[in-house]
Amino acid sequence: MELKQGDLRLLETDLARRLLGSTELARVAYVAKDGTPRVFPVMFHWTGDELVFGTFAGSAKITALRARPAVALTVDTAGPPPEVLLLRGQATVTEVDGILPEYAAAHHHYYGPEQGARNIADVEQSGRKMVRIGLVPDWVGTLDFVSRFPAALS
């Protein structure tokens, strides 16, 4: 049975699991305070239900996401052939004390345990406040050119 674009069960596919467990950056699209679109790359942590990333208090995207929480996000490979996971939903923005656990997990995942620990120690020493941004997808899409167009790629 082929799942249609938008079906949350696409999160259970091999492609989605692979990309959500990868060290590819997510690209998050949102509407800025001035009404224009913005996209930013970010390391993320997938909890199994929610895609989470951290930012620092005072970032302009925090105000924009609180005002307009609808976001679109992609995690993809450069290819060829590309593999693409597309997510949409409402971002939640929460200020936290100390280091956001998912932020630390992302740094360890992307940089390895030693460099990840150094990165987190640097942030802790800076005393900067963190903000947690979470996305529980309400729409999921995938593009897998390998399985959709195998003859064109051989």
Side-chain angles (χ1 to χ4, degrees), residues 62 116 136 140:
I62 296 167
V136 175
V140 179

Side-chain angles (χ1 to χ4, degrees), residues 57-127:
S59 170
K61 64 182 155 278
I62 296 167
T63 303
L65 288 170
R66 282 187 171 138
R68 295 183 179 106
V71 297
L73 182 145
T74 184
V75 181
D76 55 80
T77 61
E83 294 179 308
V84 183
L85 175 64
L86 305 159
L87 306 175
R88 294 184 209 155
Q90 302 292 310
T92 58
V93 179
T94 310
E95 291 189 32
V96 297
D97 291 324
I99 297 296
L100 173 65
E102 295 92 345
Y103 181 82
H107 272 268
H108 285 86
H109 180 74
Y110 280 81
Y111 291 103
E114 291 177 15
Q115 184 61 48
R118 285 193 293 271
N119 294 353
I120 297 306
D122 288 346
V123 173
E124 284 178 322
Q125 289 176 0
S126 74

